[in-house]
Amino acid sequence: MTAQSSNFGSTVWQMTLMGLRYLNGRRLRTALTTVAIVFGVAMIFAINLALPSMQEAFQQTITSFTGADLSVTSVSGESFPPAAVLEQISSVDQVKAVTGILHRQFSLPTLGESSLGDTTQIDLVGVDPASMENVHQFVISDGRFLEPGDSGKAVLPAGIAELAPQLGVGTTFPLITAGGLKFYTVVGLLAEQGDLAAPEIYVSLADAQAAFNQPGLINTVEVLLEPGANREAAAADIQQAVGAGFTLDQGSNDSNTLAAMQVGFAMFDVLGMLALFLGAFLIFNTFRTVVVERRHDLGMLRAVGATRRQITLLIVIESLIQGLIGTAIGLLIGYLMAQGMISVINVYATDFFHRGSLSLQFSLSGLLGAAAIGLATALIAGYWPARAAGKTAPLEALRPATPANIQRAARWSLIVGIGIMLLAVLLLLTGNQGAAGGAVLFLMGMVVTAPALVIPVARLISPLLSFGFAREGDIARSNLVRQPGRAAITASTLMIGLATLVMIAAMVLSFASLINSLADVNFSSDLILLPQSIAVYDNVIGADENLANRVRALPEVQDVGTMRYASAATADGQALQVMGIDPNEYSKVASFTVNEGSPDAAFAALGSGRNALFTAIALSTVGLKVGDDFMLQTAEGPQTYHVAGIANDLFTFKIAAIFISQTNLAADFHKTEDIMLMINLAPDADKQAALVDIQTILTDYPQFTAHLTGEYRDELANVTSGALILMYGLAFLILIPAALGLLNTLTINVLERTREIGVVRAVGGSRTQVRRVVTAEALLLGIFGAAMGVLAGVAMSYGFIAAFGTVGWEMPYFFPVAGIIAAVIVGVLLALFAAVLPARNAARLDIIRALQYE
Amino acid sequence: MSIVHTESLTKVYGDVSQPIPAVRDVNLTVEEGEFLAIMGPSGSGKSTLLYMLGGLDKPTSGKVWLRDSELSALNDDALSRMRRTEFGFVFQFFNLIPVLTAQENVAIPLILDGVPRARALKQADDALARVGLADRTMHRPTELSGGQQQRVALARALVTTPAVILADEPTGNLDSRSSDDVVQMLRRAVDEWKQTLVLVTHDSRVAAFADRIIFLKDGKIVDDNRLKGRGNADQIREQLSKMVLS
Ligand SMILES: Nc1ncnc2c1ncn2[C@@H]1O[C@H](COP(=O)(O)OP(=O)(O)O)[C@@H](O)[C@H]1O
Ligand SMILES: [Mg+2]
């Protein structure tokens, strides 16, 4: 008989069968080991699914609704006077017709019966009927299209009937505008279905300009080319004609919001990776156990002719099977998690962003990526024990286990590990972005050093045990140090879990402090009027000056400060949100946190010239520093602004935003809409009465809601603490694999010592004593892991918080005392919990059979 | 014709400061088609010698030939191939892989050698039929008695028609009835299926079935007897006890 390498498949198939049966015989352990893979893959897949769906939703480009050949918008996304641009574009060869429109997509407050039914957001499009008809002919199914001179008239897509069946030609409906609630009469229905996520409602240009408080302005030019025109060439010519302040066929996008969300999602990704890291440890540990347990089988396979490679293959296949199972379940759970995330975000989307509903989009690359990471983890973690298994001597099947020899802790692990940790500390102390790297490096250093620490640490902490455990503590210690490598891995697994806990505790403290100091500056007024969404303002309809004036006129009101908004871009196209405030009024009702100087100086700077205050994120994304001058693409073309300082508040600290004066906002961006109002009352005014008065005014401006500032702040704090509890939940999930690691190691330790335990029992050791030895062992591991976890957790939290601080946030580092105490308690409890089963098994060993066990 | 041959075969365990010589300077020739029993008191080096003959253990010095191949010259892969094609093993304990059926356990050397699974299983069925277990092919080891398990192990040794079958106390763990079954099966392997068999035992009743018995003491061959016809167990036992006392 000769080796037929051609029939490799036969061997692989047999090994797969064997692997499946081994796993099946150890279902509980298989399930437990697989959990970490499931968890990690699920997290990563969920993020990979949810993020692109969100991206899609937030980057909807506003395409040409009118079916024109080209559309032109300003780079800033803001409105502009039509005359010059229309003139420039018409004069281009091959351009047949142009028309200017003003449109905005925005969400609707619920107005009851008379509103637009189930429609949650609309795209209000103001058109000039005369020139529009040159560019696009609408097909009307009922009534007529708009005609020159129409006012208060609207044309809707036929599909609106699905959302608001009561609307038909001749009916009227109310719509929020910057000037208050306005009624429109439906004069026609378009034959097309329309985009039901945000139906287009056509009104006259003048009506739209009134609704947005932008008289005389448009924000899009629609272009019809000559028949047979070369689109590329024409586009180039148009671009040339209008200059760099305009862009063709490109809608705005909410890259700022998206960036803010990405920060949050990155956190999930990190947790997913940590879980997989733990999963790898767990698989590694489990398969080391498996190799010891199965040494008879493996030895026998070697004796009957299996090569080393074949044995390695057997174990690798087995870990791959686990990887496959874990990955498959993980993908499934990840999909459900993504769906959950999307629906949670949808809840927020209606409450805060008014984006309408997102739908989950399946992503093959996301699936393949997550699957590959899961499988690779299993493969890599299984490979080393598999290689060790390959080295099993054939004789191991035949000889009783030789007593495990005490492996001397490798000295180099100490040297290398400490080296890595020193480097990590250096990185941490730099306090910049490298600090996050230092945090991870520190964790790795701990993992490397762990084997060398087992013996000294065990010696150090075993006296602690002498209180409850007397002699058993010493036995436990000597049991543990027999396999320092195994003890080290177990403790390292626990360390990662507990370090995550400590880190999250510290981050929560830091963030809470940051949020709190930011909230202080935003919520110092008595009352606050909020738009449909905070954080995203380009789909909001604010109010013209009438609202502020009416509020100001109330007898109990003392000061009113407002916030205005425009979008802009830097010279190289980086989007910026521009917040407009009146420094005199705003400083009476709210403030900023400033990194240098005082808020007063910051307000003073906004009082003159083209000065801008940057949020920390904005400054780092555009790569400027305080004192620089820079070019801003405004609705009035490029303008030079001066970076006057860094200022953050709760609404903007996560996004790339700048603050300028309302004077400049009106001049450069044509925006005078108030999107948020903060109100201070006279010292003796009744807050509730004032609130009622303001709510009466707001019946004309249903896009706003009035809140007592303090109450709103508390409400927000509740939402935030909900999110923080979720973070703690994740930390606890990560502890599951750590507990499994402990369980594994204790089980294998008991198995390996079966005969020894038999001897102890035979010479008179009691069940209780045997149980206590195992429990003491677990405690040693638990305390060791907790100590390392606390150390690594402090380093990691310090590093990550320092890294966050480099974006310019004032994130104080709080030593996470509560987190540390929690980590130690959790570590010890986990250890005790993991010891229950192995301890009981050890105590219940039948003496005779234990003595015969080989 | 000689099939296995050793030259000054020596195995020393332990380290230089405390050497434990297990096999000392053994020169042995096993003839093709021969049933050789190795006897000796516990700790005399029987197992060690057998393992070295089968390439399971490496000699400290000296050489083992299987026909023209010198085992210590082979690398691990070649030695593994040798074990699954040229040697068949039966041990006292842990012979079978618990998660495999009797049929798969027997087929394992073939499958490891790359024989297509269906063919390997077919051959395994034949081998199991030869040891009288045709109706037990789909049973797991735990569902078989000790004697049946050892017969499965024998079937596994037979399935590759190896050059030599090496058995280390195959009956050491069995009651006398099962033991008789297994020994008779071993005898048949030599007589009917023309196998060469080297068997380690300290049971003279088992050794009595052999064609030739060598006695080991302190790792050295102290006697080498060719039996004429069926050996006399009492006589063998007497010889063994004399040796232990001397
Ligand atoms: N792995 C080993 N390490 C050290 N000494 C061993 C080892 N294996 C066997 N020995 C010693 O070698 C000698 C021969 O053992 P063995 O071949 O098992 O004898 P037998 O099979 O005749 O009982 C004994 O003294 C035994 O203690
Ligand atoms: Mg022996």
Side-chain angles (χ1 to χ4, degrees):
Chain A
M1 211 165 306
T2 54
Q4 298 172 334
S5 52
S6 63
N7 219 300
F8 185 59
S10 168
T11 319
V12 170
W13 173 236
Q14 184 61 50
M15 286 174 174
T16 310
L17 283 179
M18 278 170 79
L20 282 170
R21 288 184 207 161
Y22 277 126
L23 292 173
N24 189 40
R26 289 269 186 191
R27 254 165 301 187
L28 182 65
R29 182 164 70 195
T30 305
L32 294 183
T33 312
T34 314
V35 165
I37 296 271
V38 170
F39 185 51
V41 169
M43 292 276 260
I44 289 175
F45 186 44
I47 300 306
N48 283 349
L49 275 187
L51 200 56
S53 302
M54 314 243 340
Q55 243 148 1
E56 178 93 351
F58 278 86
Q59 286 181 331
Q60 291 162 339
T61 51
I62 296 153
T63 48
S64 168
F65 0 74
T66 54
D69 291 331
L70 287 167
S71 61
V72 180
T73 54
S74 81
V75 169
S76 72
E78 284 303 336
S79 312
F80 47 88
V85 182
L86 289 179
E87 174 58 38
Q88 286 159 346
I89 299 176
S90 326
S91 64
V92 170
D93 273 358
Q94 300 190 315
V95 169
K96 185 157 183 244
V98 295
T99 185
I101 63 176
L102 178 67
H103 80 101
R104 193 189 297 178
Q105 190 172 316
F106 59 91
S107 18
L108 301 173
T110 347
L111 293 176
E113 292 293 296
S114 57
S115 71
L116 286 173
D118 293 336
T119 317
T120 56
Q121 54 179 350
I122 60 164
D123 200 336
L124 188 69
V125 188
V127 300
D128 166 34
S131 60
M132 185 53 158
E133 271 181 289
N134 299 333
V135 174
H136 183 75
Q137 282 286 322
F138 287 96
V139 183
I140 297 292
S141 66
D142 193 11
R144 62 172 176 84
F145 193 67
L146 298 167
E147 287 168 0
D150 272 345
S151 173
K153 306 280 191 288
V155 173
L156 314 176
I160 197 86
E162 274 186 32
L163 299 163
Q166 80 277 15
L167 288 180
V169 172
T171 59
T172 57
F173 62 93
L175 217 51
I176 50 169
T177 76
L181 213 54
K182 287 267 149 58
F183 283 84
Y184 294 86
T185 307
V186 181
V187 294
L189 291 175
L190 297 175
E192 64 203 81
Q193 178 74 6
D195 169 14
L196 290 187
E200 295 101 35
I201 295 187
Y202 293 91
V203 297
S204 74
L205 188 56
D207 279 349
Q209 287 166 341
F212 305 142
N213 196 23
Q214 294 185 304
L217 300 176
I218 61 170
N219 59 9
T220 307
V221 177
E222 303 276 280
V223 183
L224 183 73
L225 301 179
E226 296 285 357
N230 178 342
R231 195 177 180 280
E232 313 288 288
D237 289 347
I238 293 171
Q239 184 72 69
Q240 178 87 31
V242 294
F246 291 87
T247 168
L248 272 64
D249 277 338
Q250 205 183 308
S252 61
N253 63 54
D254 295 322
S255 49
N256 295 321
T257 321
L258 198 64
M261 296 205 151
Q262 270 165 340
V263 173
F265 280 120
M267 223 34 219
F268 277 86
D269 256 341
V270 167
L271 282 176
M273 284 303 195
L274 275 176
L276 279 178
F277 196 48
L278 285 184
F281 266 51
L282 200 58
I283 290 191
F284 180 78
N285 209 347
T286 297
F287 278 98
R288 286 201 357 171
T289 316
V290 159
V291 169
V292 174
E293 275 177 359
R294 256 191 247 150
R295 62 184 190 283
H296 292 316
D297 293 6
L298 297 177
M300 183 53 60
L301 282 171
R302 290 280 281 138
V304 300
T307 59
R308 289 188 175 149
R309 232 172 304 120
Q310 284 174 325
I311 297 290
T312 304
L313 190 68
L314 172 66
I315 303 289
V316 165
I317 286 176
E318 212 173 310
S319 71
L320 259 184
I321 292 173
Q322 284 209 318
L324 272 171
I325 297 173
T327 301
I329 300 175
L331 289 177
L332 192 75
I333 293 179
Y335 186 79
L336 298 177
M337 270 169 69
Q339 231 155 16
M341 279 185 209
I342 293 283
S343 46
V344 167
I345 287 164
N346 273 338
V347 171
Y348 277 79
T350 28
D351 280 4
F352 288 97
F353 308 126
H354 280 272
R355 273 290 163 181
S357 66
L358 308 178
S359 59
L360 189 59
Q361 307 200 337
F362 184 76
S363 138
L364 185 66
S365 63
L367 181 135
L368 293 180
I373 292 175
L375 287 179
T377 306
L379 197 63
I380 293 167
Y383 178 71
W384 303 105
R387 241 179 54 138
K391 294 195 180 127
T392 306
L395 287 179
E396 308 224 354
L398 317 167
R399 293 249 162 84
T402 45
N405 46 348
I406 299 175
Q407 297 173 6
R408 239 174 302 145
R411 176 181 303 219
W412 64 261
S413 100
L414 190 67
I415 294 167
V416 173
I418 287 179
I420 294 176
M421 281 196 281
L422 282 178
L423 192 67
V425 168
L426 280 181
L427 276 172
L428 284 174
L429 291 180
T430 62
N432 56 31
Q433 269 102 334
V440 175
L441 208 60
F442 192 86
L443 195 70
M444 281 169 56
M446 291 291 288
V447 172
V448 173
T449 321
L453 294 180
V454 171
I455 292 172
V457 169
R459 190 164 300 146
L460 206 70
I461 52 188
S462 68
L464 283 178
L465 291 181
S466 59
F467 295 112
F469 290 92
R471 279 288 298 150
E472 290 95 335
D474 288 341
I475 299 173
R477 189 195 72 201
S478 64
N479 285 341
L480 211 61
V481 301
R482 276 195 239 174
Q483 294 282 356
R486 190 186 301 153
I489 284 182
T490 316
S492 297
T493 319
L494 190 58
M495 168 187 78
I496 295 173
L498 295 177
T500 311
L501 189 67
V502 171
M503 180 179 85
I504 285 177
M507 304 263 270
V508 163
L509 284 179
S510 245
F511 266 106
S513 149
L514 172 70
I515 302 275
N516 208 39
S517 60
L518 288 169
D520 281 345
V521 301
N522 282 102
F523 298 128
S524 56
S525 62
D526 293 323
L527 296 169
I528 190 165
L529 307 191
L530 294 170
Q532 303 100 300
S533 97
I534 51 173
V536 180
Y537 304 111
D538 58 1
N539 57 349
V540 152
I541 286 215
D544 56 22
E545 276 142 324
N546 283 327
L547 175 60
N549 289 337
R550 283 170 70 181
V551 172
R552 218 171 261 127
L554 289 171
E556 56 266 70
V557 169
Q558 186 172 322
D559 300 302
V560 177
T562 68
M563 179 76 83
R564 293 177 183 172
Y565 164 82
S567 62
T570 61
D572 46 10
Q574 172 69 48
L576 284 175
Q577 297 204 8
V578 183
M579 313 306 300
I581 58 170
D582 179 314
N584 293 324
E585 291 181 336
Y586 192 79
S587 59
K588 291 177 189 156
V589 293
S591 186
F592 310 113
T593 62
V594 290
N595 290 29
E596 279 163 34
S598 70
D600 288 345
F603 281 120
L606 291 190
S608 62
R610 282 198 168 93
N611 282 321
L613 300 171
F614 274 65
T615 63
I617 294 247
L619 205 58
S620 62
T621 37
V622 300
L624 290 170
K625 55 186 191 308
V626 175
D628 284 350
D629 284 336
F630 71 104
M631 219 268 291
L632 194 62
Q633 294 281 6
T634 75
E636 282 287 317
Q639 300 291 349
T640 305
Y641 273 78
H642 180 75
V643 184
I646 301 177
N648 286 297
D649 72 0
L650 186 63
F651 298 132
T652 52
F653 81 103
K654 295 193 297 286
I655 54 180
I658 62 174
F659 295 91
I660 64 172
S661 71
Q662 292 184 344
T663 318
N664 285 332
L665 195 75
D668 291 342
F669 296 93
H670 316 301
K671 278 286 193 71
T672 53
E673 234 175 300
D674 293 327
I675 52 151
M676 202 185 290
L677 291 86
M678 286 90 154
I679 299 155
N680 272 349
L681 301 178
D684 51 353
D686 175 356
K687 279 193 189 180
Q688 285 299 337
L691 185 64
V692 170
D693 286 348
I694 285 168
Q695 275 163 343
T696 313
I697 297 175
L698 288 187
T699 50
D700 288 336
Y701 297 90
Q703 61 264 49
F704 285 97
T705 48
H707 305 264
L708 291 175
T709 309
E711 273 179 18
Y712 182 72
R713 182 185 177 157
D714 293 345
E715 227 172 86
L716 214 59
N718 282 343
V719 174
T720 317
S721 58
L724 297 183
I725 287 172
L726 192 78
M727 293 299 286
Y728 278 117
L730 288 174
F732 277 102
L733 279 181
I734 276 209
L735 284 168
I736 295 177
L740 303 182
L742 277 169
L743 182 64
N744 248 331
T745 295
L746 295 171
T747 307
I748 174 180
N749 282 359
V750 168
L751 270 175
E752 269 188 356
R753 288 201 311 272
T754 299
R755 206 204 289 220
E756 230 175 273
I757 293 170
V759 174
V760 169
R761 297 272 287 119
V763 300
S766 71
R767 283 180 198 276
T768 314
Q769 281 171 322
V770 169
R771 194 181 298 129
R772 280 152 64 100
V773 169
V774 178
T775 308
E777 237 174 283
L779 269 179
L780 282 175
L781 279 173
I783 296 171
F784 183 30
M788 293 205 303
V790 165
L791 217 63
V794 168
M796 277 170 70
S797 55
Y798 183 82
F800 279 115
I801 290 169
F804 270 115
T806 59
V807 302
W809 295 343
E810 299 275 303
M811 298 216 4
Y813 182 74
F814 295 103
F815 197 72
V817 179
I820 289 173
I821 295 172
V824 172
I825 294 175
V826 168
V828 169
L829 286 182
L830 274 186
L832 289 177
F833 175 71
V836 171
L837 266 182
R840 196 165 58 185
N841 289 344
R844 284 194 183 163
L845 276 177
D846 181 278
I847 300 180
I848 308 293
R849 297 184 71 184
L851 287 173
Q852 286 172 340
Y853 184 89
E854 294 193 89
Chain B
M1 200 181 76
S2 110
I3 192 155
V4 174
H5 171 68
T6 74
E7 193 182 281
S8 308
L9 197 59
T10 300
K11 178 78 185 181
V12 184
Y13 287 114
D15 52 22
V16 205
S17 58
Q18 264 189 320
I20 308 167
V23 171
R24 292 196 262 192
D25 201 25
V26 166
N27 296 297
L28 175 69
T29 302
V30 181
E31 299 295 331
E32 192 165 354
E34 176 175 64
F35 184 162
L36 170 69
I38 302 176
M39 293 199 74
S42 177
S44 57
K46 307 182 292 293
S47 296
T48 307
L49 173 59
L50 191 82
Y51 298 157
M52 287 192 291
L53 295 184
L56 290 173
D57 208 353
K58 290 223 176 296
T60 310
S61 66
K63 286 180 174 152
V64 180
W65 277 271
L66 175 81
R67 299 204 183 91
D68 298 330
S69 319
E70 203 272 291
L71 297 190
S72 68
L74 301 176
N75 65 17
D76 192 82
D77 280 356
L79 213 52
S80 298
R81 182 160 62 242
M82 195 76 112
R83 285 200 295 269
R84 67 180 182 250
T85 55
E86 302 286 7
F87 296 113
F89 293 99
V90 184
F91 304 106
Q92 185 174 359
F93 300 111
F94 316 122
N95 265 305
L96 305 179
I97 312 285
V99 295
L100 298 182
T101 60
Q103 184 197 42
E104 286 170 321
N105 262 295
V106 173
I108 255 312
L110 298 174
I111 289 173
L112 289 173
D113 203 43
V115 175
R117 198 175 138 83
R119 207 169 87 205
L121 293 180
K122 174 81 196 36
Q123 280 175 258
D125 282 344
D126 294 345
L128 281 167
R130 280 203 269 172
V131 297
L133 289 174
D135 55 343
R136 291 282 189 277
T137 53
M138 295 321 244
H139 287 58
R140 294 276 179 94
T142 45
E143 298 160 350
L144 299 172
S145 73
Q148 287 171 331
Q149 287 184 29
Q150 291 305 71
R151 272 145 69 193
V152 174
L154 179 59
R156 183 187 60 203
L158 288 169
V159 78
T160 58
T161 49
V164 196
I165 294 176
L166 302 165
D168 190 3
E169 315 237 17
T171 61
N173 220 18
L174 302 179
D175 59 61
S176 61
R177 254 205 63 185
S178 310
S179 166
D180 283 352
D181 283 354
V182 170
V183 180
Q184 259 150 26
M185 212 70 80
L186 288 169
R187 185 69 244 178
R188 270 181 75 192
V190 176
D191 294 342
E192 291 178 29
W193 308 321
K194 304 294 172 223
Q195 293 288 349
T196 308
L197 176 66
V198 180
L199 170 111
V200 164
T201 185
H202 59 256
D203 183 345
S204 45
R205 290 195 319 127
V206 173
F209 283 81
D211 301 325
R212 175 183 163 202
I213 305 179
I214 61 170
F215 290 92
L216 233 52
K217 196 188 172 194
D218 298 333
K220 280 195 143 124
I221 297 182
V222 289
D223 203 353
D224 189 342
N225 287 337
R226 196 158 289 278
L227 303 179
K228 302 236 162 38
R230 174 76 193 273
N232 182 321
D234 292 336
Q235 204 179 316
I236 297 167
R237 187 163 41 239
E238 207 171 299
Q239 195 169 352
L240 189 61
S241 53
K242 239 191 290 168
M243 213 178 61
V244 174
L245 292 177
S246 72

